[in-house]
Amino acid sequence: MDDFDGGSGDLGTVGCMSRRAIVTAAVLVLAVLTGCTPQPPQLAPSATPSPRFTSEADAYKAAEATYRAYTQALNKVDLSDPATFEEAYRWSTGTALDADKKNLTRYHAEGVVKSGETLVTVVEPRSVEGDFSVVMLNVCDDVSSVDLRAPDGKSLVKSTRSPVQALAVELEKSETLRPAFS
């Protein structure tokens, strides 16, 4: 089993948009945010908007809501019950969805137990494309309480994992996803 360092694709950090909009987010660690510790580049989850937004403020608000909803969905995952994975899968597409499925399925098969929750502590606007099809957010996630344990009780979390993860979350418009929380 690989050690978990809080990177995306694992359960320490995660990504997401609003009730009416789901955004495909490919999460990349790009920069240090205020109050966050820098992390090496990592890919993480996704989500995407249906309706067009009329302002950057609306796009950012929807992107933040989606990111928070995705994080909540991952916090609710019970690795012993694959049915709990489905809500998290609703919020991601493409390579992020592939990574979620691969990691959650592997953890389930290996009997890994997750405890704790990721807390979204900072969400700041970063950039938006003119047509609002791509929104970038700066995010800080507190993963200090998240632990993954092997069946023998040994923690899989690296001792060097930063308790706060600095992320740049990219959310892309997707017509293929249905609204997640109605």
Side-chain angles (χ1 to χ4, degrees), residues 78-117:
D78 175 351
L79 296 174
S80 69
D81 181 5
T84 66
F85 304 173
E86 294 303 317
E87 185 64 18
Y89 295 162
R90 289 180 60 185
W91 293 99
S92 57
T93 62
T95 57
L97 177 59
D98 293 343
D100 283 348
K101 286 183 175 183
K102 176 184 171 188
N103 289 313
L104 294 176
T105 300
R106 186 184 87 215
Y107 288 147
H108 171 73
E110 293 175 356
V112 173
V113 176
K114 176 185 74 83
S115 63
E117 292 190 351

Side-chain angles (χ1 to χ4, degrees), residues 105-180:
T105 300
R106 186 184 87 215
Y107 288 147
H108 171 73
E110 293 175 356
V112 173
V113 176
K114 176 185 74 83
S115 63
E117 292 190 351
T118 297
L119 302 174
V120 179
T121 59
V122 174
V123 179
E124 297 175 340
R126 182 181 179 101
S127 66
V128 64
E129 287 190 5
D131 64 355
F132 309 117
S133 63
V134 178
V135 177
M136 293 286 295
L137 299 173
N138 291 330
V139 176
C140 291
D141 285 341
D142 179 343
V143 296
S144 61
S145 73
V146 177
D147 195 13
L148 296 172
R149 294 204 172 262
D152 65 4
K154 179 184 175 208
S155 178
L156 301 176
V157 176
K158 291 181 181 178
S159 62
T160 57
R161 177 187 71 182
S162 175
V164 178
Q165 305 288 308
L167 307 171
V169 181
E170 181 179 290
L171 300 104
E172 297 177 359
K173 184 176 184 323
S174 172
E175 299 297 334
T176 62
L177 295 176
R178 65 188 182 286

Side-chain angles (χ1 to χ4, degrees), residues 23-81:
V23 172
T24 304
V27 179
L28 301 173
V29 177
L30 298 174
V32 179
L33 303 176
T34 306
C36 292
T37 305
Q39 298 296 310
Q42 304 172 13
L43 292 178
S46 314
T48 250
S50 289
R52 297 267 182 208
F53 299 106
T54 57
S55 71
E56 283 188 16
D58 288 345
Y60 285 129
K61 184 177 179 181
E64 177 177 352
T66 298
Y67 183 81
R68 289 181 183 278
Y70 178 74
T71 301
Q72 282 183 327
L74 280 176
N75 282 337
K76 292 178 182 177
V77 164
D78 175 351
L79 296 174
S80 69
D81 181 5

